[in-house]
Amino acid sequence: MDLPLNPFKAALRARTPQIGIWCAIGGSVHAESLASCGFDWLLIDTEHSTVDMPTVQSMLQAVAPYPTHAAVRPGWNDAVELKRLLDAGAQTFLIPYVQTAAEAAQAVSAVRYPPNGTRGVAGITRASRFGLIPDYTSRADAEICLLVQVETAQALTNIEEIAAVPGVDGIFIGPADLAASMGYPGNPDHPDVQDAVLDGIRRITAAGLPAGLLSLNPDLLERAAAAGSVFTAVDVDQ
Amino acid sequence: MDLPLNPFKAALRARTPQIGIWCAIGGSVHAESLASCGFDWLLIDTEHSTVDMPTVQSMLQAVAPYPTHAAVRPGWNDAVELKRLLDAGAQTFLIPYVQTAAEAAQAVSAVRYPPNGTRGVAGITRASRFGLIPDYTSRADAEICLLVQVETAQALTNIEEIAAVPGVDGIFIGPADLAASMGYPGNPDHPDVQDAVLDGIRRITAAGLPAGLLSLNPDLLERAAAAGSVFTAVDVDQ
Amino acid sequence: MDLPLNPFKAALRARTPQIGIWCAIGGSVHAESLASCGFDWLLIDTEHSTVDMPTVQSMLQAVAPYPTHAAVRPGWNDAVELKRLLDAGAQTFLIPYVQTAAEAAQAVSAVRYPPNGTRGVAGITRASRFGLIPDYTSRADAEICLLVQVETAQALTNIEEIAAVPGVDGIFIGPADLAASMGYPGNPDHPDVQDAVLDGIRRITAAGLPAGLLSLNPDLLERAAAAGSVFTAVDVDQ
Amino acid sequence: MDLPLNPFKAALRARTPQIGIWCAIGGSVHAESLASCGFDWLLIDTEHSTVDMPTVQSMLQAVAPYPTHAAVRPGWNDAVELKRLLDAGAQTFLIPYVQTAAEAAQAVSAVRYPPNGTRGVAGITRASRFGLIPDYTSRADAEICLLVQVETAQALTNIEEIAAVPGVDGIFIGPADLAASMGYPGNPDHPDVQDAVLDGIRRITAAGLPAGLLSLNPDLLERAAAAGSVFTAVDVDQ
Amino acid sequence: MDLPLNPFKAALRARTPQIGIWCAIGGSVHAESLASCGFDWLLIDTEHSTVDMPTVQSMLQAVAPYPTHAAVRPGWNDAVELKRLLDAGAQTFLIPYVQTAAEAAQAVSAVRYPPNGTRGVAGITRASRFGLIPDYTSRADAEICLLVQVETAQALTNIEEIAAVPGVDGIFIGPADLAASMGYPGNPDHPDVQDAVLDGIRRITAAGLPAGLLSLNPDLLERAAAAGSVFTAVDVDQ
Amino acid sequence: MDLPLNPFKAALRARTPQIGIWCAIGGSVHAESLASCGFDWLLIDTEHSTVDMPTVQSMLQAVAPYPTHAAVRPGWNDAVELKRLLDAGAQTFLIPYVQTAAEAAQAVSAVRYPPNGTRGVAGITRASRFGLIPDYTSRADAEICLLVQVETAQALTNIEEIAAVPGVDGIFIGPADLAASMGYPGNPDHPDVQDAVLDGIRRITAAGLPAGLLSLNPDLLERAAAAGSVFTAVDVDQ
Ligand SMILES: [Mg+2]
Ligand SMILES: [Mg+2]
Ligand SMILES: [Mg+2]
Ligand SMILES: [Mg+2]
Ligand SMILES: [Mg+2]
Ligand SMILES: [Mg+2]
C-alpha cells in the first residue's frame, strides 16, 4: 500500500481553485453524502461544532474513496489534538486563530516528524495504513498540508511574517472573527471587513502562498477570486 | 426565531432560589427524564465524568422544551472547550477551580464576544439557531450566565476580588475539594468545612452576587439557605 | 404537563398543505438543523436508511422545540417496531408497503391502545413524558396520525378499501416503488407512473382522505397539488 | 474460565425473594450506577424503550462485576432477537405478551440448543467468553432462566398450561397491559386489576412456578408478596 | 460515478479461492484495520453479534477503499433487514439457516428489484451513491451476490434443490449448527460432522455452485479445499 | 464494596514480569475480547488513537471482571484529562513524553488527592463505586500506578532524576519516538536505538524502578528482559 498523495496540497501549489464546503455536522453518512456532491474539498470543523475525534475518523473513512479532499479544523492550535488527528489519517489542517509567525511555526512543528518537527511517532495507525505504507515516518511530512487561519486585525498585520514560516502551505482569512475584531460583530459583509479580507488575500498571494476564505456572499467570493483566492468554501452544511 | 432568554440567569439576579441536580451520566434520554422531574436547573457535568461534547449537545437538545435550565460544567477553565459548548447552545457555565480574579476574568473573556471578550465567532451554529436568531453576535452575551467555582481555602480568601470581576454572575462553593484542601479529604461535612462553606456563602452574598453549592446534606442545605445561598444542587444522578 | 397535540394531524384534517423533507441521515444535530429550515414536517426514514431506534428518539428530541412535525417511517408494518417508536414519542407514522385494507387495519391496531387496538402499555416513557401527562393511555390515540403508503399497481386498486379503514389518517403514494411495480424501475417520472400517481391522489381525495407524495420533480408536484395532494415531501437530505 | 452460574435462577428455584428495578434508559454508566444500588436484579427493557442491541451488551458488561443480575426483555417473543441477546451473554429473559402454552414453548425452544431447542450455535461469542468456557454448548441451557409475561385477561386463563411447559422458569404478570385488556387502560391499580394480579400470582404459585410482577404501588406489592410473588420490580429508572 | 462491481462475485464465478475472516466486533476502525490485512473477504456478522445497522454501514464505508470485499450476514432471512442493508451499500449477503429451495427463493426475491424480486426502491441511498450511479435500479441486481447457509442435517438433503434456485450464487456450510443438529453440539470437528461438511461441499460443487465454509481447523480446511470449497473463512476476530 | 486493589502495581513492585498488549481500537466488545486472551495487562491508548473518554470508560467496565489489568495512556501529561480518567475508574496511567523530573512530579500531583497532590475531588464516581467504597478519598492514592514514558534522547539523560520523583511507579521507554529523536525515524530496531533502549532499561532498574517497553521485535524483547524489563507490551491490536 502506498502513501496517499494529497491532491489538495498539489492543487494549492498549482494555484488550481478548490471549491469547498464547511461540515459542522458529524457523522459518516452525512460526510459520504457530502463527498458525493462534487466539491473539491470539505472542511470537517471541530472548532465551532461538537464533532469529536472518533467521528472525524469515521468521516475521513467515509470520504476516502471519493475525489474530494477532507481537511480538518482542530479546536485550536494544539499539538496533542493534531497528533491524534494525524494518526487518524488527516492530511490537511486548518489551524484556527494564528496570530504570529511563532504560532504558525508551532503548528508546523506539530505536524512534522523529527527532526523537522515534534510530531509523536506511532508505528501502527490509520495514517500509516496500520504499518503497510513503507517508510511512512520519513515520507509523511511531504503530503501534509498546513493552512493557518488569520482572523483578527492584528493577525492581518503579520501576514508576511506568517507566510514566511517554512511549512505553512496556505493562509485562510476568517471573516467572522475578523469582523468581530474590527468592531463589526456579526457583520462580516461590512465594507471595511470586506476590504480587509480582500487586502489580506492580495498580500497572502503576494507573499507567495495560496489564500483562502469561507463566505456565503457570492459577490465577495467573486471579488476574492479576482484578488487571487485559491481555496474557498462557499457553503455550510447546517 | 428569537434568542432564547436565560431564565436561570434572571432568577439568580432576582435571588429566586433555584433547586438543581447534578447530572454526571451522559445521554439524552436520561437528560430528558431528569428534565421532567421539576428541578429548576440541572448541571451537566463534564469535569468529573466522561460525558463528552456530542453528548452534552444532545442533552441540551433533550432538555430544551422543558421548564428546566441546563447548565454545563466544562472540564476546566478552558477557552476552547467553552467556545465549543457555547456554539452547542449552552448558556450557563460553572467553571471549576477558579482561584483568583484573574482566572475569573479569563473565563468571562472566553464566553463573551469581542470587544467584551475573546469568544470565537461562527455564524451558523446551534447557539444562533443556525443563523436564524437576528443579531445573535451582539445579543448573545446578555443571556450567558457565568458561574465560577471556589473550592480551595486559598480561593475562599479571594471571594471579594472574584466577585468584583464584571461578568461573573454567581459564585459556587465546591465542598468536596474545599474539604480536601482544608485537610479533610472525603469529609465535606466536617464542621470546619461547613463553617467555611457558610462563611463563603455569606461573603459572596455580601459581595453582591448569588451564592450556590452542591450538597446532599439536608442540614447543611438548610443552613446554606439561611446564609443566603440561591442556586443549590441537592442530588446527584449516579 | 399536557399531551402534545399533533398539529400535523390537525393540518391534514383541515387539508392545509404540508410541505416536508425526507430525512435519511441520522443524528440529532442534523435533525435540529433541518428543523430550523421552515418545513412543515420532516420524515425520519428508517425504511431505506440505517437510522436506528436510539437515533430516532434523539432526533425527535431535537426537533421537539421547533414548529416542525417529525413523522417516522418504520422499516415495515411491524407492531413491535411501532410500539417502540410510539413509546419514544413519535406521533405520526408513515407505514411502508400497505397493500390491502387488512394490512392497513393491522397498522391501525398497532398504534392504538385497547380496546381500540393492541398497542402495548407502558406507564413511564417519553411518550407519556415519563408519566406526567394525565390520562395518557386514554388520550394518546387521538393525537396519533397514521399514514399508509400505497406503492404498487395492485395496492392502487385497493385505495378505496384502504381509505375506508377507520384510523387511517392519510394515504401516501410512493412513486419509486410504484414505478418499479409498473415495469419502469428507476423511472418514477415516466408518464404512465405520473398518471397513476395523479389518479391515485384524486381517488384518495375522493375517498375522503388527505393524499401525500414525495417527489423532487417540480412539475409533478404542481400537478399533484392540483389533483389534491395535501402532504408533500419535496426534498431529500442526502 | 468457567460458565457463569445464574444466581437469579437459583434464587427463583429456592423461592428467595428478588427485588428489582426496571431499566429503560440505555447506557453502561447508568447501568453500572444502578448495579451498585443493591437490587437483586435489574431488567434491561428493550420492549418499551429504544435501548438497542449494542447498548444491552455494554450494560451486561457494566453490571457483570456486581452482585446484581441483569435480565433482558426483548421487544417480542422473537427467536432472532433472543439468539443475539444470548450470544451477547444475557442469561435471563422476560418474554413479553405470551398468550398460550404454544407461545411459551416457542420461547423455550429459542433459548435452548439442539436437541432441546433451536438456538443457533456460534463458537466464539461473549456468552462462551470467546470460546474459553469448556463445553459451553452443552452446558449453557442449564443457566438460562426463561420468564414469560402474562398480560391479558385471556392469557391469565392459560396460566396453568403455560406453567406446565418444560423450560419456563417463572411467570410474570404485567399489570399495565392487563389493566388495558380488562378495560381499565392506564389504571393498573383498579381493584379488579389488582384482584386479577393477585389471583394470577396465587395460581402461578400453585402451578409450581415462581411468580413476579412490576409495581410502584407499595400496597399491591405487599399483597403480592403475601400471595407468593418471588421476583418483584419496585421501581423504574425514568 | 459508476456502479461498484462485485469482485467477490466474479471470483466465485471463476472459482478463484477467496480466503476470509469473520468479523463479529463492530466498529469502523476495527473494520479498516482488518481490511488492511490481506484477506479476500470479510464477513460482517450481525447474526451472532450485537453489530447493528449503523455500524454495518460505517464498516462498509471503512472497507470501501481496500481490495477486500465486505459481505454481510443479516440476523435472519428477513426482507426488511436485507432491504436496509442493500440500501447501505452491501452487495454480498450470507443468509443464515436456509432449509429449503423456497426459503432460498425468498432470499433471492428480497435482494432483487421488480420484476425479478421484491426489493423496495429508494432513489437516493449509499447503494446508488446518492443517486449518482446511472440506472442503478436496473443494474444493481447484477452485482448482488447471494450466498445461503445450509446448516442442519435436513438442509443438507436439500442442497441440489437449493442450488437450482436461480439467483443463489453460492452455498455455505455452517459446521457449528450442523454439528448441533447432528447431535454433536459444540463439536464441529467430530468425524461425522466433517464427513457431512465435505460431502456437502462436493454436492454443492457438483450442483454447479461455489461452496464455502468457516473453520479454524487447518486440516478440515485443507480437506474442504480438496473437496472444492471456494470461499472459506479461516479466522474469527474475537 | 471495597477499593479495588491494583494487582499490576503489586506485580511491578514485586518485579513480576507483566506481558501486555496495546489497544488502540476503541470499543467494549473488542476490549472484553482482548481481556479474555490471557495478557497480564492491556494498554488503552488514547494518545495515538481516536479512542475517547466514554469509550475508555466502557472498556474499563468490560475488562473489570477479567484477571487482566487495564492501563490507560492519556493524550498528554494533562491534569484535566487525568482527573476524568481517574474518576472513570482507571488506576494505572502511562504518561507520554515526560522529559524531566519536574514533568514527572506534575503527573504525580495530578493523580493524587490533596495534600499529596492536586487531583480534584468528586464524591460519587465510578472510581469510588458511586460512593460505596469507604474512605475512597484517603485510600485511592495507594492503588494508583503511575508510569512515565521516556522517549527522547534528552529524556534518557534524565532517567535517574525522573526515577527519584516520589510517586513514579515505573518508567517506560518508547522506542518509536526515541528512534525519531535519535535521527532514525521509523526505525526503532536500529542498533543505536536498541542500545539506547537497553541502556535505559538498565539505568531505570538500577535507579530502583521497574522498566517497561513496547516492541514487536522478539529479539529486542528478549534482550530487554535480560536487561531487567518488567512490564512489556508485545503486540498491537490493529
Ligand atoms: Mg474563527
Ligand atoms: Mg471540584
Ligand atoms: Mg417504498
Ligand atoms: Mg406489556
Ligand atoms: Mg448458524
Ligand atoms: Mg510516543
Side-chain angles (χ1 to χ4, degrees), chain C residues 54 57 83-84 87 121-122 124, chain D residues 46-48 50-51 177 238:
Chain C
Q57 182 154 9
K83 174 176 56 177
R84 298 179 75 192
D87 285 338
V121 185
I124 302 177
Chain D
T46 73
E47 189 203 5
H48 286 292
T50 56
V51 176
D177 271 302
Q238 311 198 95

Side-chain angles (χ1 to χ4, degrees), chain A residues 36-233:
Chain A
S36 75
C37 291
F39 291 99
D40 298 308
W41 63 300
L42 58 86
L43 189 284
I44 302 174
D45 185 21
T46 74
E47 189 201 6
H48 287 291
S49 79
T50 56
V51 177
D52 63 357
M53 205 63 77
T55 306
V56 171
Q57 181 154 9
S58 74
M59 295 169 86
L60 293 173
Q61 292 176 315
V63 173
Y66 289 81
T68 296
H69 188 70
V72 181
R73 180 159 70 169
W76 197 244
N77 184 1
D78 179 294
V80 177
E81 203 174 336
L82 285 166
K83 174 176 55 178
R84 298 179 74 191
L85 292 169
L86 283 158
D87 284 339
Q91 291 184 305
T92 297
F93 301 92
L94 179 59
I95 311 295
Y97 213 81
V98 170
Q99 297 281 85
T100 63
E103 289 175 10
Q106 222 177 350
V108 171
S109 176
V111 301
R112 298 189 159 198
Y113 280 126
N116 304 314
T118 54
R119 177 181 172 191
V121 185
I124 302 177
T125 63
R126 180 171 184 266
S128 69
R129 296 305 177 266
F130 313 103
L132 294 184
I133 299 175
D135 302 320
Y136 175 76
T137 315
S138 55
R139 296 166 58 212
D141 291 2
E143 298 303 327
I144 301 299
C145 179
L146 185 79
L147 311 171
V148 301
Q149 202 160 334
V150 160
E151 43 188 335
T152 64
Q154 186 201 334
L156 283 181
T157 65
N158 296 330
I159 280 179
E160 284 75 14
E161 288 170 32
I162 291 171
V165 173
V168 172
D169 296 308
I171 299 181
F172 179 94
I173 300 199
D177 271 302
L178 181 58
S181 100
M182 291 175 68
Y184 307 109
N187 192 3
D189 287 334
H190 188 282
D192 291 0
V193 181
Q194 293 202 18
D195 285 353
V197 167
L198 296 169
D199 182 60
I201 290 172
R202 280 184 215 103
R203 286 168 53 208
I204 293 163
T205 308
L209 282 186
L213 87 160
L214 159 69
S215 175
L216 279 65
N217 178 338
D219 181 59
L220 177 59
L221 286 169
E222 199 170 315
R223 294 169 67 202
S229 72
V230 178
F231 56 109
T232 46

